[in-house]
Amino acid sequence: MNRIYFDNAATTSIDPQVLDAMMPYLTEKFGNPSSIYSYGREARMAVENSRKSVAKILNAHPSEIFFTSGGTESSNTAITAAVRDLGCKHIITSPIEHHATLHTVQYLESQGLVKVSYVRLLENGHIDLVNLEEMISSSTEKILVTLMHANNEIGNMLDINAVGDLCKKYNAIFHSDTVQTVGHFLFDLKNTYVHFITGSAHKFQGPKGVGLLYINQDIKIKPHIYGGGQERNMRAGTENLYGIIGFAKALELSTKNYDTDSEYIRTLKYYMHDKLKQNIPSVTFNGDTFGKSAYTILSTNFPLTEKSEMLLYNLDINHICVSGGSACASGASQGSHVMQAINNNSNLITVRFSFSKLNTKQEIDMVVAKLKTIL
Ligand code: PLP
């Protein structure tokens, strides 16, 4: 049996066209972008063209685009800079953010640098915008709002414009972890009130270890890595040349094919939902599955029984790759903080299915049939 990969929110395979674009920069075009001879200048040109391309796709200015090592670094940088350089003394976030956000916020709080408030969630896992406005409007200190665009475990999507408007109204700094949406959503940053967004190439058929930090040009922060002055003095260190080429190429491809791919992937998500309901009536779903939700993610629960207890393991030995929630906790099996915050039901086993354009309905049929035999 071939492997069935339904864990695309954890990571994706690299698109062959992305690999083709990267390859020359791993071989003959290996120059250091800071070198002044032609090899170096060619590499510099490639990095800057990638930056321009990414900026154009996101409707941002190239000077607002910084390449990093991934989503984690980008969120750490944005949140820390908002406190250190922009005077934010109060962070408003949610209990269902990725650990790249939560652990950064908790560290800053432990150092006595900020006060942290967690916005209330609605029953379907969405952020309660009324509660958010109450919190922002009643704070006497400069606020950083950090809320993710699409939740990586349940798929719920934030109304980024509504939150941006609130931040604008109360003059708050706004960071959004957009790791699950860059490459899967058409951003229009010039017309969105947001100061920082993040991205990670491996979530949209690009390479691992390269990310994006968008910093709105209206704000100025200090360098977060000191050294040779790369990335316009913001993040020193020789650029991840082939990674940056791969990031831009993957974003170009995902944007070019957005309409057809997003439609196709959404069809897979809905198909799996329907097939599960038909075949395993005890299944339930987390989040706003058919509403404001990432088209890539379907979060399910199965009642905890002797059989379902070993579900992930049994799927694994049948070559089916899914995850219990997020894959970001280095394989840790302790309960997900997201599921604890939204339903806190220890009698359920949560399985996240997340899809890419490479998946098929036939694979879904095979997985549902296998689930039926396991459960
Ligand atoms: N934020 C979200 C929502 C994610 O899903 C992930 C990755 O799993 C990250 C941040 C971290 O990104 P990276 O793996 O590029 O550091």
Side-chain angles (χ1 to χ4, degrees):
M1 187 183 176
N2 286 332
R3 186 173 59 188
I4 296 181
Y5 187 76
F6 280 172
D7 202 16
N8 292 279
T11 196
T12 57
S13 61
I14 198 161
D15 188 301
Q17 291 183 69
V18 173
L19 192 58
D20 282 350
M22 291 168 67
M23 213 38 130
Y25 296 92
L26 281 151
T27 51
E28 75 270 22
K29 295 185 177 181
F30 61 86
N32 184 325
S34 298
S35 300
I36 53 167
Y37 43 78
S38 63
Y39 266 9
R41 291 199 309 271
E42 257 178 53
R44 160 77 40 224
M45 181 89 84
V47 168
E48 294 316 320
N49 285 339
S50 298
R51 196 186 314 280
K52 278 188 204 147
S53 168
V54 169
K56 188 158 182 239
I57 289 171
L58 301 176
N59 196 21
H61 192 271
S63 65
E64 297 176 307
I65 302 298
F66 296 86
F67 292 111
T68 66
S69 67
T72 302
E73 181 190 322
S74 298
S75 284
N76 270 253
T77 303
I79 295 166
T80 308
V83 173
R84 189 192 55 202
D85 305 329
L86 304 176
C88 295
K89 296 247 177 330
H90 181 183
I91 297 181
I92 300 178
T93 186
S94 87
I96 59 170
E97 299 301 301
H98 189 272
H99 282 148
T101 293
L102 285 179
H103 289 170
T104 307
V105 164
Q106 285 156 7
Y107 171 74
L108 293 167
E109 185 181 31
S110 75
Q111 297 302 297
L113 296 169
V114 287
K115 172 179 143 191
V116 179
S117 306
Y118 295 88
V119 67
R120 213 167 36 221
L121 300 177
L122 300 173
E123 215 171 304
N124 61 5
H126 279 307
I127 299 300
D128 182 343
L129 292 178
V130 174
N131 182 231
L132 179 63
E133 178 156 16
E134 280 162 11
M135 282 182 165
I136 305 181
S137 62
S138 62
S139 182
T140 50
E141 291 175 305
K142 177 93 180 169
I143 294 174
L144 166 68
V145 172
T146 169
L147 291 172
M148 69 205 304
H149 192 200
N151 185 278
N152 54 305
E153 297 196 29
I154 60 171
N156 274 16
M157 282 189 69
L158 183 76
D159 186 339
I160 198 169
N161 289 312
V163 175
D165 290 346
L166 281 181
C167 291
K168 188 174 183 185
K169 185 168 167 192
Y170 297 101
N171 196 24
I173 298 292
F174 181 24
H175 159 250
S176 187
D177 171 349
T178 52
V179 166
Q180 290 293 340
T181 49
V182 167
H184 299 286
F185 179 86
L186 301 178
F187 281 90
D188 178 8
L189 292 175
K190 282 202 178 117
N191 296 302
T192 309
Y193 188 87
V194 66
H195 298 96
F196 302 100
I197 74 157
T198 60
S200 189
H202 74 103
K203 305 290 187 184
F204 53 97
Q205 251 81 48
K208 292 176 182 54
V210 59
L212 158 90
L213 174 60
Y214 158 86
I215 308 178
N216 185 290
Q217 58 192 356
D218 292 344
I219 54 169
K220 295 283 166 274
I221 64 166
K222 298 207 177 86
H224 68 279
I225 297 184
Y226 293 93
Q230 288 90 346
E231 290 296 285
R232 297 185 314 293
N233 248 334
M234 285 293 298
R235 180 185 188 267
T238 301
E239 293 87 344
N240 175 0
L241 178 60
Y242 41 85
I244 290 169
I245 306 293
F247 187 107
K249 184 70 183 178
L251 190 61
E252 285 157 21
L253 290 173
S254 69
T255 308
K256 186 169 140 219
N257 303 322
Y258 174 79
D259 287 344
T260 34
D261 288 352
S262 61
E263 201 39 53
Y264 174 68
I265 299 168
R266 193 188 307 280
T267 310
L268 293 180
K269 167 175 164 167
Y270 291 177
Y271 182 77
M272 178 137 204
H273 171 276
D274 294 350
K275 281 274 151 180
L276 283 171
K277 278 201 94 164
Q278 281 160 22
N279 289 278
I280 306 170
S282 59
V283 68
T284 52
F285 299 89
N286 300 306
D288 190 13
T289 311
F290 293 102
K292 288 192 179 117
S293 179
Y295 56 82
T296 44
I297 296 175
L298 180 67
S299 174
T300 65
N301 306 305
F302 301 97
L304 177 64
T305 62
E306 249 172 50
K307 286 175 169 175
S308 69
E309 209 171 21
M310 299 291 281
L311 185 55
L312 290 186
Y313 171 74
N314 277 319
L315 289 171
D316 182 25
I317 56 177
N318 284 288
H319 313 286
I320 296 168
C321 307
V322 294
S323 89
S326 127
C328 302
S330 302
S333 61
Q334 79 259 36
S336 136
H337 65 285
V338 176
M339 293 317 301
Q340 272 170 24
I342 64 163
N343 74 13
N344 202 18
N345 185 344
S346 54
N347 292 320
L348 294 175
I349 295 278
T350 299
V351 181
R352 176 187 69 182
F353 300 95
S354 52
F355 308 100
S356 81
K357 64 179 180 194
L358 302 177
N359 294 128
T360 62
K361 286 187 178 171
Q362 199 192 5
E363 286 179 321
I364 292 174
D365 290 341
M366 286 158 78
V367 170
V368 174
K370 187 49 77 183
L371 280 167
K372 245 182 127 169
T373 66
I374 299 173
L375 290 169

Short mmCIF file of all heavy atoms in Angstrom, two decimals, residues 9-10 69-73 98 100 148 150 152 177 179-180 200 202-203 328, ligand 1:
data_model
loop_
_atom_site.label_atom_id
_atom_site.label_comp_id
_atom_site.label_asym_id
_atom_site.label_seq_id
_atom_site.Cartn_x
_atom_site.Cartn_y
_atom_site.Cartn_z
N ALA A 9 -1.06 20.37 6.81
CA ALA A 9 -0.93 21.55 7.66
C ALA A 9 0.36 21.46 8.48
O ALA A 9 0.85 22.46 9.00
CB ALA A 9 -2.14 21.69 8.59
N ALA A 10 0.91 20.24 8.59
CA ALA A 10 2.19 20.08 9.28
C ALA A 10 3.33 20.46 8.34
O ALA A 10 4.21 21.25 8.68
CB ALA A 10 2.36 18.64 9.76
N SER A 69 13.99 32.28 8.98
CA SER A 69 14.13 30.81 8.93
C SER A 69 12.79 30.10 9.01
O SER A 69 12.74 28.87 8.95
CB SER A 69 15.01 30.35 10.09
OG SER A 69 14.33 30.57 11.32
N GLY A 70 11.70 30.85 9.18
CA GLY A 70 10.39 30.18 9.24
C GLY A 70 9.41 30.96 10.10
O GLY A 70 9.71 32.05 10.60
N GLY A 71 8.24 30.37 10.27
CA GLY A 71 7.17 31.03 11.00
C GLY A 71 7.52 31.31 12.45
O GLY A 71 7.17 32.34 13.01
N THR A 72 8.22 30.38 13.07
CA THR A 72 8.56 30.54 14.48
C THR A 72 9.44 31.77 14.70
O THR A 72 9.15 32.61 15.55
CB THR A 72 9.27 29.26 14.99
OG1 THR A 72 8.39 28.16 14.79
CG2 THR A 72 9.63 29.37 16.46
N GLU A 73 10.48 31.87 13.89
CA GLU A 73 11.37 33.04 14.03
C GLU A 73 10.60 34.33 13.75
O GLU A 73 10.77 35.34 14.46
CB GLU A 73 12.56 32.91 13.07
CG GLU A 73 13.50 34.09 13.22
CD GLU A 73 14.58 34.16 12.14
OE1 GLU A 73 15.10 33.11 11.71
OE2 GLU A 73 14.89 35.29 11.71
N HIS A 98 -0.61 29.30 18.09
CA HIS A 98 0.51 28.36 17.97
C HIS A 98 1.53 28.65 19.10
O HIS A 98 1.62 29.79 19.56
CB HIS A 98 1.17 28.57 16.61
CG HIS A 98 2.18 27.54 16.27
ND1 HIS A 98 3.51 27.65 16.62
CD2 HIS A 98 2.07 26.37 15.59
CE1 HIS A 98 4.17 26.60 16.17
NE2 HIS A 98 3.32 25.79 15.54
N ALA A 100 4.56 29.10 18.92
CA ALA A 100 5.53 30.14 18.53
C ALA A 100 5.07 31.49 19.08
O ALA A 100 5.89 32.34 19.43
CB ALA A 100 5.66 30.20 17.01
N MET A 148 -3.97 34.63 15.37
CA MET A 148 -3.61 33.93 14.14
C MET A 148 -4.73 34.00 13.10
O MET A 148 -5.91 34.10 13.44
CB MET A 148 -3.22 32.48 14.43
CG MET A 148 -4.36 31.61 14.89
SD MET A 148 -3.76 30.18 15.87
CE MET A 148 -2.60 29.41 14.78
N ALA A 150 -5.38 31.64 10.45
CA ALA A 150 -6.08 30.35 10.41
C ALA A 150 -5.47 29.46 11.47
O ALA A 150 -4.24 29.34 11.57
CB ALA A 150 -5.94 29.68 9.05
N ASN A 152 -4.12 26.29 13.07
CA ASN A 152 -3.52 25.11 12.43
C ASN A 152 -4.12 23.80 12.89
O ASN A 152 -3.93 22.77 12.25
CB ASN A 152 -2.00 25.09 12.68
CG ASN A 152 -1.64 25.19 14.14
OD1 ASN A 152 -2.05 26.11 14.83
ND2 ASN A 152 -0.89 24.23 14.63
N ASP A 177 -0.31 35.67 12.97
CA ASP A 177 0.41 34.48 12.52
C ASP A 177 -0.37 33.94 11.33
O ASP A 177 -1.45 33.34 11.47
CB ASP A 177 0.46 33.47 13.68
CG ASP A 177 0.99 32.10 13.26
OD1 ASP A 177 1.13 31.85 12.04
OD2 ASP A 177 1.26 31.28 14.15
N VAL A 179 0.85 31.78 9.08
CA VAL A 179 1.62 30.65 8.54
C VAL A 179 0.72 29.68 7.76
O VAL A 179 1.12 29.12 6.75
CB VAL A 179 2.39 29.94 9.68
CG1 VAL A 179 2.91 28.58 9.23
CG2 VAL A 179 3.56 30.81 10.13
N GLN A 180 -0.51 29.49 8.24
CA GLN A 180 -1.40 28.54 7.54
C GLN A 180 -2.11 29.18 6.35
O GLN A 180 -2.83 28.49 5.62
CB GLN A 180 -2.43 27.94 8.50
CG GLN A 180 -1.85 26.99 9.52
CD GLN A 180 -1.30 25.69 8.92
OE1 GLN A 180 -1.66 25.29 7.81
NE2 GLN A 180 -0.43 25.02 9.65
N SER A 200 5.60 30.66 6.01
CA SER A 200 6.57 29.58 6.05
C SER A 200 6.42 28.74 4.79
O SER A 200 5.34 28.18 4.54
CB SER A 200 6.32 28.74 7.30
OG SER A 200 7.35 27.82 7.48
N HIS A 202 7.33 25.88 3.75
CA HIS A 202 7.03 24.43 3.72
C HIS A 202 5.55 24.12 3.89
O HIS A 202 5.13 22.97 3.78
CB HIS A 202 7.91 23.68 4.74
CG HIS A 202 7.55 23.85 6.18
ND1 HIS A 202 6.87 22.88 6.88
CD2 HIS A 202 7.77 24.86 7.06
CE1 HIS A 202 6.71 23.29 8.14
NE2 HIS A 202 7.24 24.48 8.27
N LYS A 203 4.74 25.15 4.15
CA LYS A 203 3.30 24.92 4.26
C LYS A 203 2.61 25.03 2.90
O LYS A 203 1.42 24.78 2.78
CB LYS A 203 2.66 25.94 5.21
CG LYS A 203 3.28 26.01 6.59
CD LYS A 203 3.00 24.79 7.43
CE LYS A 203 3.50 24.99 8.85
NZ LYS A 203 3.36 23.81 9.68
N CYS A 328 3.39 20.26 15.66
CA CYS A 328 4.49 21.19 15.99
C CYS A 328 5.09 20.94 17.36
O CYS A 328 6.03 21.61 17.75
CB CYS A 328 4.01 22.62 15.90
SG CYS A 328 3.40 22.97 14.26
N1 PLP B 1 2.37 29.06 13.21
C1 PLP B 1 1.53 28.13 12.73
C2 PLP B 1 0.07 28.41 12.69
C3 PLP B 1 2.01 26.90 12.26
O1 PLP B 1 1.17 25.99 11.80
C4 PLP B 1 3.41 26.67 12.30
C5 PLP B 1 4.00 25.40 11.85
O2 PLP B 1 3.66 24.35 12.16
C6 PLP B 1 4.25 27.68 12.79
C7 PLP B 1 3.69 28.86 13.23
C8 PLP B 1 5.72 27.50 12.83
O3 PLP B 1 6.28 27.61 11.55
P1 PLP B 1 7.73 27.04 11.23
O4 PLP B 1 7.63 25.56 11.24
O5 PLP B 1 8.05 27.57 9.87
O6 PLP B 1 8.65 27.58 12.25
#
